[in-house]
Amino acid sequence: MTVAPEKNELVVPEGHVKLVIDGIEVVAPKGELLIRTAERMGITIPRFCDHPLLDPAGACRQCLVEVEMGGRPMPKPQASCTITVADGMVVKTQVTSPVADKAQQGVMELLLINHPLDCPICDKGGECPLQNQALAHGRTDSRFVDRKRTFAKPIPISTQVLLDRERCVLCQRCTRFSAQIAGDPFIELLERGAQQQIGIAEEKPFQSYFSGNTIQICPVGALTSAAYRFRSRPFDLVSTPGVCEHCSSGCAERTDWRRGKVMRKLAANDPEVNEEWICDKGRFAFRYTGAADRVLRPMVRDKATGELKQASWTEALQVAAEALTKARGSAGVLTGGRLTLEDAYAYSKFARVALGTNDIDFRARPHSREEQEFLASTVVGTTPETGVTFTGIEAAPTVLCVAFEPEEEAPIVFLRLRKAARKGRTKVFHIGQWTSPAVEKTFGTLLATPPGGEAAAVDALSSHAPDVTEGLGKPGSVILVGERAAQVPGLFSALLRLSEQTGARIAWIPRRAGERGAVEVGALPTLLPGGRLVADAAARAEVEQAWGLEPGSLPDVPGRDTNGIIEAAANGELRALVVGGVDPYDLPDPQLALKALRTADFVLSLELRHSAVTEFADVVLPIAPSVEKAGTFLNWEGRRREFGTTLDGTGALPDCRVLDTLAVEMDADLFTQTPTAAAGDLARLGTTSTARAAAPTVESRQQSLPQSDGQALLATWRQLLDNGSLQEEEPHLAGTARRVVARLSEHTAEVLGVDKAETVRVSTDRGSVTVPFEYADLPDGVVWLPGNSGDVRVRRELGALHGSPVNVHPGGTE
Amino acid sequence: MSTVDPVTPVLTKRWLSPRSWSIQTYEQLEGYTALRKALTATPEQIVQVVKDSGLRGRGGAGFPSGLKWSFMPPNEDKPHYLVINADEGEPGTCKDIPLMMADPHSLIEGCVIASYAMRSHHCFIYVRGEVLHCIRRLNAAVKEAKAAGYLGENILGSGYDLEITVHAGAGAYICGEETALLDSLEGRRGQPRLKPPFPAAAGLYAAPTTVNNVETIASVPYIINGGSDWFRRMGTEKSPGPKIYSISGHVERPGQYEAPLGTTLRQLLEMAGGMKDGIPLKFWTPGGSSTPMFTAEHLDVPLDFEGAAEAGSMLGTTAVQVFNETVSVPWAVMKWTQFYKHESCGKCTPCREGTYWLVQILERMVDGNGTEEDIDTLLDVCDNVLGRSFCALGDGAVSPIQSGIKYFRDEFLALCQKNREKNRKPAMAGAN
């Protein structure tokens, strides 16, 4: 290798250094680890413990190189994963240094002496860094003829993660990930020397929402998942890039499948969004698509027997079209929060064009008019360029989380918050009810309020917690608000005032993947696509023109929201309902919802699986799950997360296609035959300069504590792993869910007389749940329940909301 | 044979006094006079005196103590800590524990002076957990010193405050490595830390910390009282001062012998009454099992940092282990290697896996089932561990093997004899 001639000397920018690696001059930013600089140049130094997103460890010693500083060779080979570049450094990797090469081969041989070489039956075989690097940097045969260390195998460290200790090379990636990234140090090194091993404490399993990442970053097959272990070999799988369909983070994923069946999901690398991590729900919860109750054929209810029976598409569409045409102007559309942008757009257009109504709402959860105004004024139209982003959170000096439980509702947002806070640059505040794990793990400060008192707490910030408002005043600060805010009157308005006052930007982080996109396409009673207002004639005219409709043909009166649609259907005002993926038990009043479904003359259900809706549906049309279609999720940042079809040719159709065909039967054209067509049609609408909605101005109110005996205010939100229907068919994942308990303060327990009991019975006039309880730092007079975990199904059993008064009594023995 | 120049004992001068460990005895024999003197000086002046004295770390590495102290930041943005490494665990080493048993107040006085010099207000003494008697004695001494006003708030009216905490380790060799010691002291798993940051920048609880050996700190009061020139009159130019040599093994009177640095084994043997029963010397370690062994050829090597290094070993902890001709070198090497395998912390591959492998080869060889290739394999594995491990313990682990084969290859070869005979092909098929 010739050194570059002097006249071509490299320019060293400010904050950079110049060094030589394998005879090649290179400029690198100060502080960069040598192994990364080499990698940028195309020189791959073998490694096991090194991971770009974890703190350096220097444990495996595989990446040793020779280093010369200031003309003097360092006496020992250096671990390139721990040494940072320096000006004038001369580095020789295995490419040019026999010493480095021998050191690496030596370490590789040592790693292999106790490795079982059971590659033919190991899950990692074929994609194993140890296997690959042993071939590239190891000896062809072993000199080791003695006894290998063995362990009993495998041991479950949770219901989901299994550990084969003899395969482990003790690189500590898993323990470092858990301690540093997730903040769940449930796994640790135990014992020492050759007996050193990864392990858990007695009866403290690896209950982390992020445990699957350790399996993915394990450089050997020591960690495997119960779901995938021994299921397939990597070289038999087809890998397709995808986007997670669960929460609103929109993580990049890789879906591995074969013979029409998804075998596993892995995190893909997207530095802007999920970096290299996904949560366990995103990784493991995909088997719902293969559930036995999947709807595969259209079904029509037999008039004579009252039973659903399979029908042809032609028949089912005809029946549906006829009924809906009759009900035109008296039909409501509930889309659910899990649709792709294209599918939600098709519903939005179907409601306006085919049904002639603005009675459409995506919100299959408690909601409010204030929320609708907030979405229309503040959320719609934001993009990563204009709004808050993951990287914006990471750079924010202060983050305030309000009515938002990041680890449970958007786990990848939680990871960013923790990353930011762990670096010590970001201060995190939470307005909530108790010091949840997420508060602790984001090094956060809890500002506790009674449920429903969040708005008043926000208004009182400048007087009660001036450090928060001061922090939010620093440029780049962020306010994150979750779906629970819709249950707190005045909260959105108070947050907008706070934002105005401090300059901090607000981001709305809903729980479901499709909600942000549904706002954008106008699956709301007051909004048309692109944030155009239904009530604005100019906006309607833009849409009419783009859609090729007669001027004045779009309905001009804002429609009903979900509650309104349910009420109207229940009392006969609405004759027909078109329902997407909605679970009535998620709605604020499940009883009324069921009544509405029963009462409506005609119910069309577009569903993946049989549900409480299909039970009442007159026509059920099967639709495709996200792996069987293409589409786009709009994540909470407003970032487009496009994905292609993973499993092709299953015959399952996306909602947009089904609606398009149905509309044709009804003599309307949606132009949403395919997701691509739908996306094109949506794009043609372009941006608008028509009026934006006004921000909500709802008075906040003090939440008063219940006065009567045996009562408390209910605080509640959903856990990441719970009874959600997309998590069904995955028992190993369910085993890592948090324990189902109620929480209340010791004082409250005493006042309510439950402190001597083992369980509490929480009841309303609708029903009751009995559940074990734990003490936590809740405000007095407040009891917390998980939203939908185990037997505790707050909406279904209690019909209660966050902030509702409930009765609390001792529950007797469990 | 040269005659021993019997030095006036310094570090061990009180050891034979009645109740030498009590504060009364200590005070009667100039105890705490250095502290009074030190408190009238500035911290910088004390650091300078220690620098001038040439005092080098007594824990094995021999780093200049004054220089180490000067790495502590001059400001007090974060608390400063002095941590005493009393986790004496190197095989053969028995100097710190006797010192703390016989004269704990010399360590405590040293701690106060050193802490004052480094602007530390909390000093920790990390003692290996097995020596309960020593921990008790230290605790009693700390209590006595506090009651007498040498510790606690406003020491001797100077306005300077210091607390000393005696902490018991849990019995891991690795915790003698300073960063593993700090992790252990913080309540974590004892494994060495990545450097940088060095302890002076981010040590205990990520605050500026200096870790010093017991003998190093116990030397400080004498330097303050006697001055740096006095200290330099002992020992050699680059390795000045007195040193406690702990002599064990086949000598008539094993024990601790204080002598100036640079004393030879020949002189030490004379002090210790010569080889036990007159059986000739075969091999010995100058500073514990982690220092490459010496043989009878090295009787006149001056045992200071430079002398030992020049002769191909290290001064280490001056733990002189003496073995006579009855001891098999491969057997001794195997025992040492078993110790390193047992004590490897497991953090890095070379030490963890290397010691696991080396032990098996050595055990096989000592059983008489070795092959000549095994010797090459031993040396090559040692080469793959030496300088490749995370901390210096991996280097130490291969020292006995490499030096053992270097000086006594024949003994290793002899162990292969049985195998050679077994594997010898009969001259004629079936003629076994």
Side-chain angles (χ1 to χ4, degrees):
Chain A
M1 179 74 51
T2 48
V3 178
E6 266 175 279
K7 56 184 168 190
N8 288 344
E9 204 160 284
L10 289 170
V11 186
V12 184
E14 179 82 23
H16 286 60
V17 295
K18 190 166 76 177
L19 65 159
V20 177
I21 302 181
D22 289 338
I24 305 163
E25 275 199 332
V26 61
V27 170
K30 259 184 201 160
E32 187 173 54
L33 292 170
L34 195 48
I35 198 167
R36 308 259 182 279
T37 313
E39 195 156 21
R40 281 195 290 110
M41 300 166 65
I43 301 166
T44 306
I45 301 169
R47 84 287 304 263
F48 294 102
C49 66
D50 171 67
H51 190 285
L53 297 176
L54 301 177
D55 296 347
C60 76
R61 318 303 289 170
Q62 184 60 56
C63 65
L64 295 171
V65 296
E66 268 197 295
V67 177
E68 208 178 288
M69 283 290 291
R72 288 220 319 258
M74 292 174 89
K76 299 172 178 180
Q78 298 294 308
S80 56
C81 72
T82 60
I83 191 168
T84 52
V85 292
D87 217 23
M89 200 180 233
V90 178
V91 181
K92 291 182 193 155
T93 73
Q94 73 276 7
V95 179
T96 54
S97 156
V99 173
D101 191 41
K102 177 167 189 299
Q104 290 176 12
Q105 297 216 15
V107 172
M108 183 64 71
E109 185 184 25
L110 289 169
L111 279 173
L112 291 174
I113 66 165
N114 273 323
H115 193 76
L117 304 184
D118 59 348
C119 312
I121 58 141
C122 176
D123 278 358
K124 207 80 175 187
E127 58 178 10
C128 174
L130 179 59
Q131 203 176 38
N132 295 343
Q133 297 183 123
L135 285 169
H137 304 279
R139 301 163 59 98
T140 49
D141 55 354
S142 176
R143 295 177 291 180
F144 182 74
V145 294
D146 301 277
R147 288 181 312 279
K148 277 181 190 269
R149 173 198 60 201
T150 53
F151 287 109
K153 66 179 283 181
I155 51 170
I157 53 176
S158 72
T159 57
Q160 183 64 268
V161 184
L162 300 165
L163 169 65
D164 290 276
R165 289 167 293 176
E166 78 289 351
R167 286 181 188 155
C168 174
V169 292
L170 297 161
C171 69
Q172 306 179 30
R173 278 187 182 183
C174 58
T175 51
R176 284 183 292 144
F177 169 84
S178 301
Q180 295 165 16
I181 307 293
D184 296 324
F186 290 102
I187 50 170
E188 203 16 307
L189 291 169
L190 313 176
E191 305 294 335
R192 68 184 186 207
Q195 282 302 310
Q196 187 177 242
Q197 53 191 275
I198 304 296
I200 50 172
E202 271 178 63
E203 289 174 26
K204 284 261 167 77
F206 188 22
Q207 299 289 66
S208 169
Y209 285 162
F210 305 96
S211 64
N213 292 298
T214 63
I215 299 170
Q216 190 172 342
I217 59 174
C218 180
V220 293
L223 294 169
T224 51
S225 72
Y228 177 72
R229 189 176 168 90
F230 299 142
R231 293 295 196 288
S232 68
R233 314 308 315 275
F235 30 81
D236 293 335
L237 297 171
V238 182
S239 298
T240 308
V243 174
C244 181
E245 74 270 34
H246 289 286
C247 85
S248 63
S249 297
C251 295
E253 285 185 335
R254 187 183 107 190
T255 307
D256 284 0
W257 57 277
R258 63 169 185 189
R259 288 184 237 131
K261 198 170 164 193
V262 173
M263 302 306 293
R264 62 172 177 181
K265 286 190 170 187
L266 299 171
N269 182 4
D270 189 337
E272 295 291 314
V273 179
N274 54 313
E275 299 191 297
E276 297 183 37
W277 320 122
I278 54 173
C279 70
D280 284 2
K281 186 160 150 182
R283 185 180 301 270
F284 296 120
F286 58 81
R287 294 218 174 128
Y288 65 91
T289 61
D293 59 359
R294 169 103 182 249
V295 184
L296 293 166
R297 312 280 308 162
M299 304 189 99
V300 175
R301 197 166 292 280
D302 189 309
K303 286 269 182 332
T305 63
E307 298 288 310
L308 280 178
K309 67 171 213 276
Q310 278 195 11
S312 68
W313 274 103
T314 318
E315 184 197 345
L317 286 169
Q318 258 172 9
V319 174
E322 199 177 311
L324 290 176
T325 309
K326 252 194 273 176
R328 198 169 193 277
S330 179
V333 181
L334 300 172
T335 72
R338 300 206 168 274
L339 296 173
T340 61
L341 194 67
E342 294 81 357
D343 288 342
Y345 174 66
Y347 277 94
S348 177
K349 193 169 179 183
F350 182 82
R352 272 71 189 223
V353 177
L355 296 175
T357 183
N358 285 316
D359 289 347
I360 178 171
D361 199 340
F362 70 87
R363 293 172 296 175
R365 53 173 174 77
H367 53 277
S368 68
R369 191 190 163 115
E370 184 189 5
E371 179 191 36
Q372 204 167 294
E373 288 167 2
F374 171 78
L375 296 178
S377 66
T378 311
V379 173
V380 71
T382 53
T383 64
E385 286 72 43
T386 61
V388 179
T389 57
F390 281 102
T391 47
I393 289 176
E394 194 178 333
T398 305
V399 178
L400 173 65
C401 299
V402 186
F404 173 56
E405 193 56 32
E407 196 182 7
E408 308 288 358
E409 299 178 17
I412 300 303
V413 174
F414 161 77
L415 289 188
R416 274 296 170 144
L417 274 175
R418 176 171 163 80
K419 183 184 182 188
R422 191 171 164 263
K423 283 188 198 157
R425 290 201 303 254
T426 303
K427 181 79 197 108
V428 185
F429 296 95
H430 298 258
I431 296 185
Q433 276 72 49
W434 54 282
T435 304
S436 63
V439 175
E440 279 173 18
K441 289 186 277 188
T442 55
F443 310 94
T445 305
L446 174 75
L447 307 163
T449 73
E454 288 89 345
V458 168
D459 278 341
L461 274 180
S462 51
S463 53
H464 286 74
D467 53 328
V468 181
T469 40
E470 197 178 298
L472 288 173
K474 292 180 193 155
S477 288
V478 170
I479 301 165
L480 306 179
V481 57
E483 64 168 31
R484 195 155 79 249
Q487 301 177 56
V488 183
L491 181 51
F492 286 114
S493 312
L495 289 175
L496 288 169
R497 283 193 294 274
L498 180 66
S499 166
E500 182 90 345
Q501 174 203 338
T502 59
R505 291 182 301 168
I506 302 184
W508 177 66
I509 306 188
R511 219 170 46 81
R512 294 181 174 125
E515 297 212 348
R516 179 65 185 80
V519 174
E520 209 63 29
V521 299
L524 274 173
T526 52
L527 282 188
L528 292 167
R532 295 174 178 87
L533 295 172
V534 162
D536 179 359
R540 283 200 310 279
E542 273 185 11
V543 176
E544 280 158 355
Q545 198 194 358
W547 284 353
L549 303 175
E550 293 291 316
S553 57
L554 277 180
D556 55 358
V557 185
R560 299 175 173 93
D561 63 8
T562 300
N563 283 339
I565 292 169
I566 293 289
E567 266 167 41
N571 63 29
E573 274 174 52
L574 280 181
R575 298 217 305 274
L577 289 175
V578 176
V579 187
V582 174
D583 181 348
Y585 296 111
D586 285 346
L587 297 175
D589 190 344
Q591 284 185 359
L592 190 66
L594 295 177
K595 187 182 171 204
L597 290 166
R598 230 179 352 249
T599 313
D601 292 344
F602 181 79
V603 175
L604 169 63
S605 170
L606 287 85
E607 255 302 357
L608 190 67
R609 292 166 59 191
H610 284 288
S611 70
V613 175
T614 60
E615 227 171 273
F616 299 101
D618 298 283
V619 174
V620 180
L621 298 176
I623 45 86
S626 58
V627 282
E628 295 175 35
K629 66 184 175 192
T632 307
F633 283 121
L634 210 56
N635 78 353
W636 65 265
E637 303 168 278
R639 190 188 298 271
R640 291 180 64 86
R641 309 296 283 164
E642 292 168 27
F643 60 92
T645 311
T646 300
L647 302 179
D648 219 348
T650 62
L653 305 174
D655 300 57
C656 62
R657 168 74 186 272
V658 174
L659 290 169
D660 180 76
T661 316
L662 179 61
V664 169
E665 289 286 321
M666 296 169 70
D667 221 16
D669 282 319
L670 300 186
F671 302 104
T672 62
Q673 298 90 331
T674 62
T676 318
D681 200 55
L682 174 60
R684 268 192 296 281
L685 277 164
T687 52
T688 183
S689 52
T690 57
R692 247 186 118 85
T697 51
V698 176
E699 287 290 304
S700 58
R701 57 158 203 233
Q702 291 289 341
Q703 178 69 300
S704 49
L705 292 170
Q707 297 302 312
S708 59
D709 285 348
Q711 275 210 328
L713 287 179
L714 177 68
T716 181
W717 54 81
R718 288 185 63 162
Q719 309 283 85
L720 181 72
L721 301 178
D722 63 1
N723 299 333
S725 57
L726 300 194
Q727 298 159 57
E728 281 168 20
E729 307 285 311
E730 193 43 82
H732 309 297
L733 175 66
T736 64
R738 301 243 157 97
R739 208 165 83 87
V740 181
V741 290
R743 287 190 170 82
L744 69 179
S745 73
E746 266 184 274
H747 180 247
T748 310
E750 272 170 41
V751 170
L752 294 169
V754 301
D755 54 326
K756 303 284 191 300
E758 282 174 36
T759 58
V760 287
R761 198 169 73 90
V762 181
S763 61
T764 62
D765 52 2
R766 290 278 175 93
S768 74
V769 294
T770 302
V771 60
F773 64 94
E774 278 177 5
Y775 293 132
D777 57 346
L778 287 104
D780 289 335
V782 177
V783 62
W784 178 87
L785 287 176
N788 187 28
S789 298
D791 294 334
V792 182
R793 289 169 291 195
V794 169
R795 218 86 74 219
R796 183 173 185 154
E797 310 294 345
L798 303 178
L801 300 176
H802 181 74
S804 299
V806 289
N807 305 308
V808 183
H809 295 290
T813 49
E814 211 176 327
Chain B
M1 190 174 285
S2 67
T3 51
V4 177
D5 199 3
V7 289
T8 316
V10 179
L11 294 158
T12 58
K13 72 176 181 184
R14 298 182 196 89
W15 287 20
L16 296 178
S17 309
R19 293 181 60 80
S20 64
W21 55 86
S22 70
I23 196 164
Q24 289 80 13
T25 310
Y26 188 67
E27 281 175 329
Q28 279 161 18
L29 299 170
E30 324 184 290
Y32 290 113
T33 53
L35 175 60
R36 288 175 198 282
K37 210 162 161 182
L39 289 174
T40 62
T42 64
E44 291 77 16
Q45 286 169 328
I46 297 172
V47 173
Q48 194 54 50
V49 170
V50 174
K51 263 188 185 169
D52 293 345
S53 75
L55 175 67
R56 293 173 66 173
R58 302 311 199 211
F63 193 82
S65 305
L67 188 61
K68 194 176 200 174
W69 293 9
S70 68
F71 293 152
M72 293 291 271
N75 57 49
E76 282 188 71
D77 295 349
K78 278 183 170 183
H80 291 196
Y81 295 113
L82 171 66
V83 175
I84 306 303
N85 185 345
D87 191 52
E88 184 171 55
E90 174 66 18
T93 313
C94 44
K95 61 181 182 69
D96 296 338
I97 287 160
L99 188 151
M100 292 185 287
M101 285 300 289
D103 196 8
H105 283 284
S106 66
L107 172 63
I108 290 170
E109 185 175 6
C111 287
V112 186
I113 297 170
S115 297
Y116 174 73
M118 285 178 269
R119 298 180 173 81
S120 164
H121 297 286
H122 204 147
C123 165
F124 294 85
I125 305 177
Y126 185 100
V127 196
R128 66 182 288 187
E130 291 95 326
V131 287
L132 192 57
H133 50 309
C134 182
I135 295 165
R136 286 189 183 130
R137 186 152 285 178
L138 274 175
N139 272 320
V142 167
K143 220 165 145 187
E144 280 182 323
K146 205 164 179 181
Y150 299 124
L151 271 181
E153 281 175 19
N154 191 18
I155 294 170
L156 300 176
S158 63
Y160 172 68
D161 310 331
L162 178 71
E163 285 298 328
I164 291 185
T165 302
V166 179
H167 180 92
Y173 177 62
I174 185 65
C175 292
E177 198 281 339
E178 65 174 7
T179 59
L181 185 152
L182 293 177
D183 262 23
S184 170
L185 189 53
E186 287 180 9
R188 296 162 194 275
R189 194 179 159 74
Q191 289 200 330
R193 291 178 182 175
L194 208 55
K195 288 188 277 194
F198 290 92
L204 187 65
Y205 304 118
T209 303
T210 294
V211 183
N212 275 141
N213 175 260
V214 171
E215 195 184 351
T216 316
I217 292 296
S219 304
V220 170
Y222 307 104
I223 295 172
I224 298 298
N225 267 340
S228 53
D229 291 341
W230 165 81
F231 193 75
R232 282 187 169 281
R233 292 220 303 268
M234 290 166 279
T236 60
E237 167 67 27
K238 285 182 174 165
S239 302
K243 182 84 187 73
I244 303 172
Y245 292 86
S246 25
I247 304 178
S248 61
H250 295 131
V251 296
E252 282 294 343
R253 290 190 303 275
Q256 293 76 37
Y257 291 87
E258 188 176 359
L261 277 166
T263 306
T264 64
L265 179 66
R266 194 182 297 282
Q267 293 165 316
L268 290 172
L269 278 179
E270 209 166 291
M271 288 196 249
M275 292 299 293
K276 188 169 168 57
D277 302 329
I279 303 173
L281 171 73
K282 185 172 174 186
F283 62 101
W284 57 288
T285 66
S289 61
S290 302
T291 57
M293 64 174 71
F294 279 151
T295 66
E297 286 170 37
H298 302 94
L299 271 169
D300 295 312
V301 169
L303 293 179
D304 56 32
F305 292 105
E306 289 69 33
E310 217 165 277
S313 185
M314 286 175 294
L315 186 64
T317 57
T318 57
V320 180
Q321 291 174 289
V322 181
F323 297 85
N324 68 20
E325 284 190 337
T326 64
V327 181
S328 149
V329 171
W331 178 84
V333 167
M334 176 193 77
K335 297 301 278 185
W336 275 324
T337 309
Q338 284 171 338
F339 168 83
Y340 289 111
K341 182 215 166 201
H342 183 255
E343 292 295 343
S344 170
C345 81
K347 177 163 182 156
C348 73
T349 310
C351 176
R352 178 184 70 235
E353 306 293 340
T355 54
Y356 177 89
W357 188 359
L358 292 167
V359 159
Q360 292 204 34
I361 298 176
L362 285 165
E363 285 173 349
R364 196 152 38 79
M365 293 190 83
V366 169
D367 273 352
N369 294 319
T371 62
E372 281 175 47
E373 293 79 61
D374 279 339
I375 299 174
D376 298 333
T377 306
L378 276 178
L379 287 175
D380 195 54
V381 173
C382 286
D383 186 52
N384 287 340
V385 174
L386 181 71
R388 274 67 172 152
S389 55
F390 188 92
C391 76
L393 265 61
D395 301 350
V398 301
S399 283
I401 303 175
Q402 289 182 320
S403 58
I405 296 176
K406 176 176 166 194
Y407 296 118
F408 299 95
R409 182 183 274 265
D410 287 352
E411 284 193 39
F412 286 86
L413 278 172
L415 291 172
C416 308
Q417 194 60 31
K418 201 162 82 185
N419 244 339
R420 249 202 307 275
E421 276 159 20
K422 205 163 59 190
N423 293 338
R424 187 173 297 147
K425 291 240 168 63
M428 199 168 62
N432 224 5

